[in-house]
Amino acid sequence: MKKKLRDAFRAHLGVDRLTAGQLLASATLQDKAYELSALVAVMEKLKAMRPTLTFTLVHGTSLVFRAKGGPIDRTSWPYIRIDDRGRTVGELWVDIECVAISADPAAKLQPGPLYGKCHELDIVLVVPNTGGRPLPSETLLGVEAKHRPFNKALLKELLGVRREMTMRGPLKAHRAPWWFVWWTARLPARPPSGLVAFCSSDTIDKYSDPADYWGIHMEHLPF
């Protein structure tokens, strides 16, 4: 699996074998390796949706994807910049704490643990140049990667995260900024954002009805 991930990072990001190997240094546990396989899947799906997109690895002092949640930190951790015909349209980050819609926006830059004011997502797609903990208006897409059988507890967790990302609104057709949604033509979300759950077990297929109501995409992604 690590070889497949190395090859995928080389293909999508144009990095050499050594760099690809360094990026995967945190993938010693299967859960982390699955999270990075979900990152590859996101790039593939975005590219299929919009072939003009290009992906570039940008890194700070470390070439290892972070393994513990926190705010966006450009000086330390790598991220993937997404461009469309020369214009930057988004950034992909791993293990980022996002400000909850129920929290004071000042939580974006507050130090220390914030408890219920923010929630960690395995992968986030944010608007360009986002700093600190992304606000709901800065979060385009959240991704959760579950390498285990999906159950009711995980569904409750996912629904709770979604409720803290966006308000449910009228089911509307996508407007121009919604290039990051590949699975549906309409989403019930204000502000506009998507949430995707990848699971290595096909048990996730049993829990799609409440997810559909909130505009959550559930997908079986084998590992």
Side-chain angles (χ1 to χ4, degrees):
M1 178 52 66
K2 288 188 73 173
K3 181 182 183 303
K4 290 181 180 179
L5 288 172
R6 280 198 304 269
D7 292 344
F9 281 123
R10 291 170 66 189
H12 291 293
L13 300 176
V15 298
D16 56 37
R17 183 179 180 85
L18 176 61
T19 300
Q22 287 177 292
L23 287 173
L24 292 167
S26 62
T28 53
L29 299 176
Q30 287 194 357
D31 283 350
K32 187 62 181 181
Y34 186 70
E35 181 181 304
L36 295 179
S37 72
L39 178 62
V40 171
V42 169
M43 287 192 286
E44 290 175 342
K45 291 176 182 297
L46 290 174
K47 182 74 172 179
M49 178 75 174
R50 201 174 185 97
T52 54
L53 295 180
T54 58
F55 305 95
T56 303
L57 177 69
V58 181
H59 59 84
T61 57
S62 173
L63 251 181
V64 179
F65 283 121
R66 74 192 303 167
K68 185 178 180 181
I72 286 176
D73 179 359
R74 297 174 186 278
T75 63
S76 301
W77 301 106
Y79 67 95
I80 297 169
R81 189 184 74 232
I82 305 177
D83 295 303
D84 186 6
R85 298 183 178 93
R87 180 175 66 91
T88 301
V89 294
E91 299 171 355
L92 280 168
W93 291 81
V94 172
D95 292 322
I96 295 297
E97 293 176 346
C98 298
V99 176
I101 202 168
S102 61
D104 186 326
K108 178 179 179 64
L109 298 175
Q110 286 180 3
L114 297 186
Y115 304 103
K117 295 182 180 180
C118 65
H119 302 285
E120 180 184 343
L121 287 164
D122 293 334
I123 301 165
V124 293
L125 171 62
V126 297
V127 299
N129 301 314
T130 297
R133 297 177 177 89
L135 297 169
S137 58
E138 297 172 317
T139 306
L140 302 177
L141 181 69
V143 178
E144 288 286 88
K146 304 298 184 184
H147 183 43
R148 69 200 77 167
F150 204 88
N151 56 29
K152 183 63 73 67
L154 289 177
L155 176 65
K156 289 179 179 179
E157 176 186 323
L158 196 66
L159 292 172
V161 169
R162 183 55 169 165
R163 185 59 183 82
E164 288 285 51
M165 287 179 65
T166 186
M167 300 289 287
R168 190 178 189 276
L171 197 61
K172 293 184 176 180
H174 300 164
R175 296 184 179 180
W178 293 39
W179 56 269
F180 50 87
V181 183
W182 65 79
W183 63 91
T184 183
R186 300 186 298 169
L187 271 182
R190 295 181 304 182
S193 69
L195 180 60
V196 175
F198 289 118
C199 184
S200 58
S201 169
D202 61 6
T203 53
I204 193 172
D205 296 333
K206 301 177 181 179
Y207 296 91
S208 61
D209 287 350
D212 289 343
Y213 179 81
W214 285 99
I216 303 171
H217 177 60
M218 313 270 270
E219 183 169 335
H220 173 216
L221 180 68
F223 189 47

